[in-house]
């Protein structure tokens, strides 16, 4: 009922897509010796949507701001064309035991691309487990240091597993994994990071439409669900406070809910200004819609940030992401 009010005529199509099998992207592991994989994927008609978007950005160099500045060309993620529901085979290990690619919702890469990591940036991934976006951050090859945190110890174990399966030891040593409550981060290490990713717990809509057991929309979990925007706001505030002046934060969810998306961002900007005297600028990411229109379906009516809507021909998302700059 809530989403039909928010998305209006689009909701029946989004709902049908959520009930159908989701599409994956194959995030190439730059640390593995995978010379034949790209050939194999391209023979199967898959393309790297990141480099395609990045090329398009370079061609439109006259645009302001220059689009190419915001896309990391080191990240490579293959997807099949719109309407093609071919599935990727499971990844194989190379001679060093590293897996050649990581299968993930390709829309999950957009918050990482929006973060636009630059060489030697100190990066914090505040809610990192199980680690898909942490792995993508490492694929840029640019992080000076990466702090990956998640309050859940069991989920942090999955993050370690991913690091061991995809990342060589010398790179793993540049990552510090912790299990703190992200809301307390300021007391540990405030104002130190160039880039902070705040990928918060949310109603995980795609998962929730299918889940019978322990569904976040179950009556039993009403209180927890109603408290989610508060938890999200506290985590985003912690992310803003962890950022150096001039640094950037990307907030993301995999929910369609504007209460968990734009409303949380609006509230955080307001609290930063009024309670902490910190001015925060919401960056324009609308060029993502232009660059990646062939791969994803974007919602055109977000007040702030961008939202990928699941679509039967491009069944990725939902994924909301919004970028804030601490002025
Ligand atoms: C959407 S998931 C993160 C997914 C992850 N970024 C990825 O790409 O694989 C949200 C995570 O937030 C964690 N979380 C929940 N409350 C938290 C808190 N107070 N502090 C830090 N992490 C928290 C959950 O354990 C969960 O792993």
């Amino acid at each position: 009922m809530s989403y039909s009010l928010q998305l209006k005529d689009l909701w029946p199509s989004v709902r049908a897509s959520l009930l159908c099998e989701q599409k994956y992207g194959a995030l190439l592991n730059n640390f593995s010796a995978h010379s034949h994989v790209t050939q194999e994927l391209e023979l199967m008609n898959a393309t790297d949507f990141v480099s395609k978007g990045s090329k398009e950005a370079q061609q439109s160099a006259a645009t302001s701001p220059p689009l190419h500045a915001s896309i990391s060309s080191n990240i490579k993620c293959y997807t099949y064309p719109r309407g093609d529901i071919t599935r990727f085979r499971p990844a194989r290990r190379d001679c060093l035991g590293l897996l050649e690619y990581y299968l993930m919702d390709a829309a999950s890469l957009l918050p990482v691309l929006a973060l636009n990591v630059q060489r030697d940036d100190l990066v914090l991934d505040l809610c990192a487990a199980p680690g898909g976006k942490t792995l993508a951050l490492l694929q840029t090859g640019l992080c000076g240091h990466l702090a990956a945190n998640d309050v859940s110890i069991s989920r942090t174990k999955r993050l370690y597993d991913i690091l061991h399966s995809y990342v060589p030891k010398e790179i793993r040593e540049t990552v510090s994994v912790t299990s703190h409550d992200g809301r307390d981060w300021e007391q540990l290490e405030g104002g130190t990071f160039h880039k902070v990713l705040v990928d918060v717990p949310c109603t995980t809509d795609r998962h929730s439409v299918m889940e019978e057991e322990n569904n976040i929309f179950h009556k039993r979990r009403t209180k927890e669900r109603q408290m989610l925007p508060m938890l999200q706001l506290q985590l985003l505030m912690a992310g803003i406070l962890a950022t150096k002046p001039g640094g950037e934060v990307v907030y993301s969810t995999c929910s369609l809910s504007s209460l968990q998306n734009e409303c949380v961002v609006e509230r955080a900007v307001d609290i930063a200004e009024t309670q902490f005297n910190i001015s925060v600028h919401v960056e324009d990411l609308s060029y993502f819609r232009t660059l990646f229109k062939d791969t994803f379906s974007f919602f055109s009516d977000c007040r702030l940030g961008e939202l990928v809507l699941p679509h039967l021909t491009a069944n990725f998302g939902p994924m909301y992401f919004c970028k804030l700059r601490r002025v």
Side-chain angles (χ1 to χ4, degrees):
M1 282 167 67
S2 158
Y3 290 160
S4 64
L5 290 177
Q6 192 185 312
L7 298 175
K8 305 195 175 68
D9 296 351
L10 293 171
W11 171 238
S13 144
V14 171
R15 181 177 177 277
S17 309
L18 286 175
L19 292 166
C20 291
E21 203 171 328
Q22 82 176 103
K23 242 179 127 162
Y24 283 90
L27 169 68
L28 274 204
N29 185 9
N30 295 330
F31 304 118
S32 101
H34 58 56
S35 57
H36 296 300
V37 181
T38 50
Q39 272 171 305
E40 184 189 328
L41 291 170
E42 279 161 18
L43 276 174
M44 296 281 290
N45 215 16
T47 50
D48 169 17
F49 85 85
V50 185
S51 68
K52 198 160 161 254
S54 161
K55 267 182 217 140
E56 224 158 275
Q58 278 158 19
Q59 278 157 13
S60 58
T63 356
S64 173
L67 304 182
H68 59 275
S70 307
I71 304 299
S72 162
S73 52
N74 293 337
I75 295 182
K76 296 180 195 69
C77 183
Y78 280 77
T79 54
Y80 289 107
R82 258 181 196 268
D84 183 338
I85 55 164
T86 311
R87 296 168 64 134
F88 294 98
R89 62 158 174 77
R92 289 192 278 248
R93 290 187 190 271
D94 68 4
C95 50
L96 296 172
L98 298 177
L99 287 165
E100 56 194 353
Y101 54 67
Y102 180 73
L103 295 180
M104 66 193 296
D105 185 326
S108 295
L109 270 187
L110 299 177
V112 176
L113 294 175
L115 202 58
N116 191 24
V117 176
Q118 302 292 304
R119 183 160 303 288
D120 294 332
D121 271 351
L122 304 179
V123 183
L124 169 63
D125 188 354
L126 194 62
C127 305
K133 296 186 190 70
T134 312
L135 179 62
L137 286 165
L138 288 172
Q139 297 300 321
T140 64
L142 299 172
C143 301
H145 179 78
L146 177 58
N149 176 72
D150 198 287
V151 76
S152 157
I153 293 180
S154 59
R155 285 171 68 92
T156 310
K157 287 201 180 105
R158 288 168 63 193
L159 172 63
Y160 275 117
D161 289 345
I162 290 190
L163 292 178
H164 277 91
S165 297
Y166 288 88
V167 183
K169 190 164 177 283
E170 63 276 15
I171 308 286
R172 280 202 308 268
E173 284 169 358
T174 68
V175 184
S176 54
V177 179
T178 51
S179 295
H180 301 300
D181 185 327
R183 291 173 288 185
D184 302 333
W185 194 271
E186 220 244 325
Q187 291 150 28
L188 302 158
E189 236 177 333
T192 37
F193 293 92
H194 299 102
K195 302 283 159 70
V196 179
L197 179 62
V198 186
D199 185 39
V200 292
C202 67
T203 46
T204 56
D205 296 346
R206 184 180 285 279
H207 175 73
S208 296
V209 290
M210 296 299 197
E211 171 82 26
E212 292 292 339
E213 300 275 306
N214 204 27
N215 193 311
I216 183 84
F217 288 97
H218 194 283
K219 249 200 203 122
R220 203 175 46 234
R221 297 183 69 185
T222 305
K223 186 96 195 123
E224 182 191 345
R225 192 177 73 251
Q226 288 172 342
M227 290 308 288
L228 267 178
M230 175 59 83
L231 172 61
Q232 293 161 339
L233 175 62
Q234 290 170 325
L235 287 165
L236 177 53
M237 282 313 303
I240 293 171
L241 295 174
T243 314
K244 282 176 189 278
E248 291 167 327
V249 179
V250 169
Y251 173 79
S252 58
T253 78
C254 54
S255 168
L256 296 163
S257 159
S258 57
L259 274 181
Q260 296 173 59
N261 298 340
E262 294 102 305
C263 293
V264 169
V265 173
E266 282 163 343
R267 198 79 187 95
V269 171
D270 186 42
I271 292 177
E273 186 82 60
T274 54
Q275 292 185 22
F276 294 92
N277 201 20
I278 292 175
S279 178
V280 171
H281 183 258
V282 179
E283 302 281 283
D284 178 23
L285 291 177
S286 57
Y287 58 90
F288 269 60
R289 274 187 251 161
T290 316
L291 296 187
F292 301 119
K293 62 180 183 316
D294 294 343
T295 309
F296 304 106
S297 279
F298 287 90
F299 185 43
S300 51
D301 285 340
C302 273
R303 289 197 305 280
L304 297 170
E306 296 297 325
L307 174 64
V308 171
L309 291 179
H311 189 277
L312 283 174
T313 65
N315 207 355
F316 300 108
M319 180 54 57
Y320 173 79
F321 55 106
C322 186
K323 181 167 172 171
L324 308 171
R325 188 165 43 82
R326 182 169 171 174
V327 182

